[in-house]
Amino acid sequence: MNINMTLLLQAIGFGIFIFFTYKFVLPPLANAIEGRRRQIADGLAEAEKGKASLATAQTEVDKIVAEAKAKASEIVALAEKQRTATIDASKGEAKAAGEREKQMAADEIAQLSVKAKAELRDRVADLAVAGAERILKREINPQVHSDLLGQLKAEL
């Protein structure tokens, strides 16, 4: 065999091999590589979108937390105001109840004083009648002298 012919046949075989590889092997590999490149690019784009949405979400979370803290502060302040108002109202009610009790006690004392004075007048009138009876050595009839005894009680 001739070396030139061998080389030529090998070159033709190599050419067919290159043609076959270029026609049937490379397109699926190129498609697979391109698909993987697109998938990686899409993943990176999604990662960037995720980072952006994470930053946005973190901003929203910070805003919501700040609003919640403000509302909590308002609620605490309102509760403090209500507590102070309740304490003041309770103090007022207690003071008013104390004043009522004091007034009732004063009224009761006044009634007891009036009653004691009336009893004292009656007792003094009885003593005066007994004293006058002893002085006069005779009995004074309280029914007969009721006008005189009434004046005596009024004067006492």
Side-chain angles (χ1 to χ4, degrees), residues 31-55:
N31 288 339
I33 290 172
E34 182 61 26
R36 182 70 177 145
R37 188 194 61 78
R38 269 189 257 126
Q39 189 179 13
I40 291 171
D42 291 344
L44 290 174
E46 288 297 320
E48 289 298 319
K49 285 180 186 177
K51 284 182 184 178
S53 68
L54 179 63

mmCIF file of all heavy atoms in Angstrom, residues 31-55:
data_model
loop_
_atom_site.group_PDB
_atom_site.id
_atom_site.type_symbol
_atom_site.label_atom_id
_atom_site.label_comp_id
_atom_site.label_asym_id
_atom_site.label_seq_id
_atom_site.Cartn_x
_atom_site.Cartn_y
_atom_site.Cartn_z
ATOM 1 N N ASN A 31 -26.306 22.616 22.646
ATOM 2 C CA ASN A 31 -27.625 22.913 23.239
ATOM 3 C C ASN A 31 -27.606 22.685 24.760
ATOM 4 O O ASN A 31 -28.165 23.471 25.522
ATOM 5 C CB ASN A 31 -28.712 22.056 22.601
ATOM 6 C CG ASN A 31 -29.033 22.492 21.184
ATOM 7 O OD1 ASN A 31 -28.760 23.626 20.810
ATOM 8 N ND2 ASN A 31 -29.603 21.585 20.392
ATOM 9 N N ALA A 32 -26.977 21.621 25.179
ATOM 10 C CA ALA A 32 -26.892 21.337 26.614
ATOM 11 C C ALA A 32 -26.085 22.426 27.323
ATOM 12 O O ALA A 32 -26.457 22.908 28.401
ATOM 13 C CB ALA A 32 -26.267 19.971 26.851
ATOM 14 N N ILE A 33 -24.978 22.820 26.709
ATOM 15 C CA ILE A 33 -24.144 23.877 27.309
ATOM 16 C C ILE A 33 -24.910 25.191 27.333
ATOM 17 O O ILE A 33 -24.897 25.911 28.344
ATOM 18 C CB ILE A 33 -22.807 24.008 26.539
ATOM 19 C CG1 ILE A 33 -21.950 22.771 26.802
ATOM 20 C CG2 ILE A 33 -22.080 25.275 26.930
ATOM 21 C CD1 ILE A 33 -20.695 22.700 25.942
ATOM 22 N N GLU A 34 -25.598 25.513 26.250
ATOM 23 C CA GLU A 34 -26.385 26.762 26.189
ATOM 24 C C GLU A 34 -27.529 26.733 27.210
ATOM 25 O O GLU A 34 -27.810 27.726 27.888
ATOM 26 C CB GLU A 34 -26.937 26.979 24.776
ATOM 27 C CG GLU A 34 -27.719 28.261 24.586
ATOM 28 C CD GLU A 34 -26.910 29.516 24.838
ATOM 29 O OE1 GLU A 34 -25.684 29.516 24.689
ATOM 30 O OE2 GLU A 34 -27.543 30.528 25.234
ATOM 31 N N GLY A 35 -28.192 25.584 27.321
ATOM 32 C CA GLY A 35 -29.271 25.445 28.319
ATOM 33 C C GLY A 35 -28.738 25.627 29.743
ATOM 34 O O GLY A 35 -29.349 26.302 30.577
ATOM 35 N N ARG A 36 -27.585 25.027 30.008
ATOM 36 C CA ARG A 36 -26.986 25.166 31.334
ATOM 37 C C ARG A 36 -26.567 26.611 31.583
ATOM 38 O O ARG A 36 -26.753 27.140 32.671
ATOM 39 C CB ARG A 36 -25.769 24.227 31.419
ATOM 40 C CG ARG A 36 -25.095 24.251 32.742
ATOM 41 C CD ARG A 36 -25.964 23.589 33.791
ATOM 42 N NE ARG A 36 -25.224 23.572 35.048
ATOM 43 C CZ ARG A 36 -25.773 23.717 36.220
ATOM 44 N NH1 ARG A 36 -27.076 23.853 36.308
ATOM 45 N NH2 ARG A 36 -25.041 23.700 37.286
ATOM 46 N N ARG A 37 -26.017 27.291 30.534
ATOM 47 C CA ARG A 37 -25.628 28.686 30.670
ATOM 48 C C ARG A 37 -26.843 29.555 30.979
ATOM 49 O O ARG A 37 -26.816 30.411 31.852
ATOM 50 C CB ARG A 37 -24.937 29.168 29.385
ATOM 51 C CG ARG A 37 -24.322 30.567 29.516
ATOM 52 C CD ARG A 37 -23.960 31.162 28.158
ATOM 53 N NE ARG A 37 -25.100 31.331 27.292
ATOM 54 C CZ ARG A 37 -25.998 32.329 27.396
ATOM 55 N NH1 ARG A 37 -25.914 33.215 28.349
ATOM 56 N NH2 ARG A 37 -26.992 32.425 26.542
ATOM 57 N N ARG A 38 -27.972 29.301 30.246
ATOM 58 C CA ARG A 38 -29.211 30.052 30.490
ATOM 59 C C ARG A 38 -29.738 29.792 31.902
ATOM 60 O O ARG A 38 -30.179 30.706 32.597
ATOM 61 C CB ARG A 38 -30.279 29.676 29.455
ATOM 62 C CG ARG A 38 -30.235 30.577 28.249
ATOM 63 C CD ARG A 38 -31.429 30.329 27.337
ATOM 64 N NE ARG A 38 -30.951 29.526 26.200
ATOM 65 C CZ ARG A 38 -31.463 28.381 25.800
ATOM 66 N NH1 ARG A 38 -32.516 27.886 26.375
ATOM 67 N NH2 ARG A 38 -30.940 27.746 24.796
ATOM 68 N N GLN A 39 -29.665 28.522 32.330
ATOM 69 C CA GLN A 39 -30.142 28.153 33.664
ATOM 70 C C GLN A 39 -29.309 28.867 34.744
ATOM 71 O O GLN A 39 -29.857 29.396 35.714
ATOM 72 C CB GLN A 39 -30.062 26.641 33.832
ATOM 73 C CG GLN A 39 -30.715 26.133 35.085
ATOM 74 C CD GLN A 39 -30.630 24.608 35.181
ATOM 75 O OE1 GLN A 39 -29.879 23.960 34.435
ATOM 76 N NE2 GLN A 39 -31.388 24.053 36.096
ATOM 77 N N ILE A 40 -28.018 28.894 34.554
ATOM 78 C CA ILE A 40 -27.151 29.583 35.513
ATOM 79 C C ILE A 40 -27.429 31.082 35.505
ATOM 80 O O ILE A 40 -27.524 31.723 36.568
ATOM 81 C CB ILE A 40 -25.662 29.284 35.224
ATOM 82 C CG1 ILE A 40 -25.360 27.821 35.554
ATOM 83 C CG2 ILE A 40 -24.746 30.217 36.009
ATOM 84 C CD1 ILE A 40 -23.979 27.353 35.098
ATOM 85 N N ALA A 41 -27.594 31.653 34.321
ATOM 86 C CA ALA A 41 -27.883 33.089 34.210
ATOM 87 C C ALA A 41 -29.226 33.409 34.867
ATOM 88 O O ALA A 41 -29.350 34.412 35.594
ATOM 89 C CB ALA A 41 -27.887 33.520 32.744
ATOM 90 N N ASP A 42 -30.228 32.544 34.613
ATOM 91 C CA ASP A 42 -31.537 32.753 35.245
ATOM 92 C C ASP A 42 -31.436 32.632 36.769
ATOM 93 O O ASP A 42 -32.049 33.402 37.510
ATOM 94 C CB ASP A 42 -32.560 31.744 34.712
ATOM 95 C CG ASP A 42 -32.935 31.998 33.263
ATOM 96 O OD1 ASP A 42 -32.650 33.118 32.770
ATOM 97 O OD2 ASP A 42 -33.519 31.089 32.622
ATOM 98 N N GLY A 43 -30.662 31.663 37.236
ATOM 99 C CA GLY A 43 -30.462 31.492 38.680
ATOM 100 C C GLY A 43 -29.802 32.717 39.295
ATOM 101 O O GLY A 43 -30.190 33.173 40.376
ATOM 102 N N LEU A 44 -28.792 33.249 38.603
ATOM 103 C CA LEU A 44 -28.122 34.448 39.107
ATOM 104 C C LEU A 44 -29.073 35.645 39.113
ATOM 105 O O LEU A 44 -29.083 36.453 40.056
ATOM 106 C CB LEU A 44 -26.875 34.757 38.273
ATOM 107 C CG LEU A 44 -25.708 33.777 38.440
ATOM 108 C CD1 LEU A 44 -24.584 34.111 37.460
ATOM 109 C CD2 LEU A 44 -25.195 33.805 39.864
ATOM 110 N N ALA A 45 -29.892 35.755 38.056
ATOM 111 C CA ALA A 45 -30.874 36.852 38.000
ATOM 112 C C ALA A 45 -31.894 36.708 39.129
ATOM 113 O O ALA A 45 -32.260 37.703 39.786
ATOM 114 C CB ALA A 45 -31.566 36.872 36.635
ATOM 115 N N GLU A 46 -32.338 35.479 39.344
ATOM 116 C CA GLU A 46 -33.292 35.238 40.437
ATOM 117 C C GLU A 46 -32.651 35.531 41.794
ATOM 118 O O GLU A 46 -33.302 36.038 42.702
ATOM 119 C CB GLU A 46 -33.816 33.802 40.397
ATOM 120 C CG GLU A 46 -34.774 33.522 39.259
ATOM 121 C CD GLU A 46 -36.046 34.343 39.364
ATOM 122 O OE1 GLU A 46 -36.573 34.519 40.484
ATOM 123 O OE2 GLU A 46 -36.494 34.826 38.316
ATOM 124 N N ALA A 47 -31.377 35.195 41.933
ATOM 125 C CA ALA A 47 -30.669 35.493 43.180
ATOM 126 C C ALA A 47 -30.608 37.003 43.402
ATOM 127 O O ALA A 47 -30.808 37.486 44.526
ATOM 128 C CB ALA A 47 -29.264 34.893 43.156
ATOM 129 N N GLU A 48 -30.346 37.747 42.350
ATOM 130 C CA GLU A 48 -30.320 39.216 42.457
ATOM 131 C C GLU A 48 -31.712 39.748 42.811
ATOM 132 O O GLU A 48 -31.848 40.637 43.657
ATOM 133 C CB GLU A 48 -29.829 39.852 41.151
ATOM 134 C CG GLU A 48 -28.358 39.644 40.881
ATOM 135 C CD GLU A 48 -27.490 40.282 41.955
ATOM 136 O OE1 GLU A 48 -27.797 41.407 42.411
ATOM 137 O OE2 GLU A 48 -26.504 39.640 42.348
ATOM 138 N N LYS A 49 -32.733 39.185 42.154
ATOM 139 C CA LYS A 49 -34.100 39.590 42.494
ATOM 140 C C LYS A 49 -34.406 39.249 43.941
ATOM 141 O O LYS A 49 -35.055 40.009 44.653
ATOM 142 C CB LYS A 49 -35.113 38.901 41.576
ATOM 143 C CG LYS A 49 -35.173 39.452 40.186
ATOM 144 C CD LYS A 49 -36.218 38.698 39.375
ATOM 145 C CE LYS A 49 -36.229 39.111 37.928
ATOM 146 N NZ LYS A 49 -37.188 38.325 37.153
ATOM 147 N N GLY A 50 -33.959 38.062 44.389
ATOM 148 C CA GLY A 50 -34.162 37.648 45.773
ATOM 149 C C GLY A 50 -33.477 38.601 46.742
ATOM 150 O O GLY A 50 -34.037 38.958 47.784
ATOM 151 N N LYS A 51 -32.260 39.023 46.410
ATOM 152 C CA LYS A 51 -31.552 39.985 47.260
ATOM 153 C C LYS A 51 -32.312 41.304 47.317
ATOM 154 O O LYS A 51 -32.448 41.902 48.383
ATOM 155 C CB LYS A 51 -30.134 40.225 46.737
ATOM 156 C CG LYS A 51 -29.164 39.121 47.037
ATOM 157 C CD LYS A 51 -27.772 39.481 46.531
ATOM 158 C CE LYS A 51 -26.793 38.345 46.735
ATOM 159 N NZ LYS A 51 -25.458 38.676 46.200
ATOM 160 N N ALA A 52 -32.797 41.742 46.158
ATOM 161 C CA ALA A 52 -33.550 43.000 46.125
ATOM 162 C C ALA A 52 -34.847 42.875 46.914
ATOM 163 O O ALA A 52 -35.200 43.779 47.697
ATOM 164 C CB ALA A 52 -33.845 43.396 44.674
ATOM 165 N N SER A 53 -35.563 41.761 46.742
ATOM 166 C CA SER A 53 -36.820 41.585 47.484
ATOM 167 C C SER A 53 -36.538 41.401 48.972
ATOM 168 O O SER A 53 -37.327 41.848 49.811
ATOM 169 C CB SER A 53 -37.623 40.408 46.937
ATOM 170 O OG SER A 53 -36.960 39.190 47.200
ATOM 171 N N LEU A 54 -35.402 40.776 49.317
ATOM 172 C CA LEU A 54 -35.013 40.654 50.724
ATOM 173 C C LEU A 54 -34.747 42.028 51.323
ATOM 174 O O LEU A 54 -35.188 42.310 52.444
ATOM 175 C CB LEU A 54 -33.773 39.762 50.859
ATOM 176 C CG LEU A 54 -33.239 39.569 52.280
ATOM 177 C CD1 LEU A 54 -34.278 38.862 53.140
ATOM 178 C CD2 LEU A 54 -31.936 38.808 52.261
ATOM 179 N N ALA A 55 -34.066 42.876 50.584
ATOM 180 C CA ALA A 55 -33.807 44.237 51.074
ATOM 181 C C ALA A 55 -35.124 44.997 51.233
ATOM 182 O O ALA A 55 -35.331 45.696 52.236
ATOM 183 C CB ALA A 55 -32.874 44.970 50.112
#
